[in-house]
Amino acid sequence: MDISGKSMVITGGASGIGAALALRAAGAGARVCIADLNLNAAQTLAQEIGGIAVVCDVSQEAQIIAAIGAAEKLHGPVDIFVSNAGLGRGDPSHAASAPDADWMLNWNVHVMAHVWAARALLPAMIARGSGYFVNVASAAGLLNQIGDAAYSATKHAAVSFAESLKITHEADGIGVSVVCPQYVATPLIGLGDRDAAGNLLTADQVAQTVWQGVADETFVILPHPDVGKYNALRGADPARWIKGMQMLRAKALAEQGGIEVSSFYKLV
């Protein structure tokens, strides 16, 4: 899909990968609505790129619908919806130790937000025979994020829902991409561009890969190509894969004294 001239909404668009996606999309001629919890940051970026900003808590269906309405009022029907907002809180101790509130927040932000956006947009997209969903999941949705069971489980569900959209609605003229990056230097893990090196990508590097993937209508977009190889190994020999992940967890505990995402990337 050519994003030039397209109307799009990007959730979590005020910082990190979302902001990088917005900057590149606007540079390519898209009309961008930045939807974010941080309205001030969203407005600042929107002013920079000539877009619009709306406050949006994606854990609330009504706020996603309102963001879509605001975008449509100024930019016309939404052509591309980017479900990018996310969070990560980690396991307090054992794999089931996170409270129900954290599990449900992960579920609503990483899964239901994608569902609610599709529910709001699919009828009109089907009627006009066009539209595109870019659902930002994670390499954890194909593999696993050691130390955050809620994040991993819901990112797996996000990948599955994107697959359902693709299977069901490609014949309706609707495109779907699911983005599965590994570690990215963003505020989500307390890092910035200056920290990026090697396998730790900048948000802009991810955004460049995403929009190229959308241009090619690639379903699974992998900013870190090695994730594809890891996923193949996981499918070919699950027992060996689990053993390797257990060894990686043990290495983190031995060398870093715990599972901290802000430093865990150094081990992979």
Side-chain angles (χ1 to χ4, degrees):
M1 169 177 272
D2 180 1
I3 67 173
S4 176
K6 297 296 192 295
S7 168
M8 70 171 66
V9 176
I10 303 175
T11 67
S15 65
I17 293 172
L21 288 168
L23 284 163
R24 282 195 170 265
R31 293 166 289 143
V32 181
C33 173
I34 299 167
D36 200 283
L37 276 171
N38 188 336
L39 182 59
N40 288 337
Q43 288 173 330
T44 297
L45 182 57
Q47 186 173 18
E48 178 183 346
I49 66 174
I52 62 172
V54 295
V55 66
C56 184
D57 177 354
V58 300
S59 71
Q60 304 297 316
E61 182 176 14
Q63 293 197 31
I64 292 175
I65 293 171
I68 291 169
E72 291 183 335
K73 183 176 180 179
L74 292 177
H75 292 162
V78 172
D79 299 300
I80 303 170
F81 194 97
V82 184
S83 288
N84 167 73
L87 76 146
R89 295 190 171 178
D91 299 327
S93 56
H94 56 71
S97 61
D100 286 357
D102 282 2
W103 274 92
M104 292 311 302
L105 184 60
N106 272 269
W107 179 254
N108 284 338
V109 171
H110 297 152
V111 185
M112 292 310 300
H114 301 197
V115 175
W116 291 327
R119 182 181 293 161
L121 290 167
L122 274 172
M125 286 182 172
I126 292 168
R128 65 178 183 261
S130 67
Y132 211 104
F133 293 98
V134 180
N135 289 356
V136 180
S138 167
L142 299 173
L143 309 172
N144 194 282
Q145 174 57 56
I146 295 170
D148 199 335
Y151 182 87
S152 297
T154 54
K155 289 297 188 177
H156 271 76
V159 172
S160 178
F161 179 65
E163 190 172 62
S164 293
L165 286 175
K166 180 78 168 177
I167 291 167
T168 307
H169 296 293
E170 186 171 51
D172 295 318
I174 296 165
V176 182
S177 291
V178 61
V179 186
C180 296
Q182 204 170 34
Y183 294 103
V184 185
T186 69
L188 182 65
I189 58 173
L191 300 174
D193 286 355
R194 67 186 182 280
D195 302 301
N199 200 42
L200 181 67
L201 301 183
T202 66
D204 183 65
Q205 287 174 310
V206 174
Q208 183 177 10
T209 303
V210 169
W211 290 130
Q212 184 58 58
V214 170
D216 297 336
E217 300 192 4
T218 302
F219 176 55
V220 180
I221 297 175
L222 300 176
H224 299 77
D226 283 351
V227 171
K229 294 187 291 186
Y230 299 151
N231 192 41
L233 289 171
R234 178 177 181 264
D237 193 341
R240 182 182 177 188
W241 172 256
I242 292 293
K243 185 64 177 178
M245 292 291 276
Q246 290 169 337
M247 292 172 64
L248 181 59
R249 179 178 182 275
K251 183 178 181 180
L253 293 174
E255 295 184 7
Q256 299 181 344
I259 309 298
E260 293 293 336
V261 176
S262 60
S263 58
F264 194 84
Y265 73 92
K266 297 175 183 178
L267 301 176
V268 298

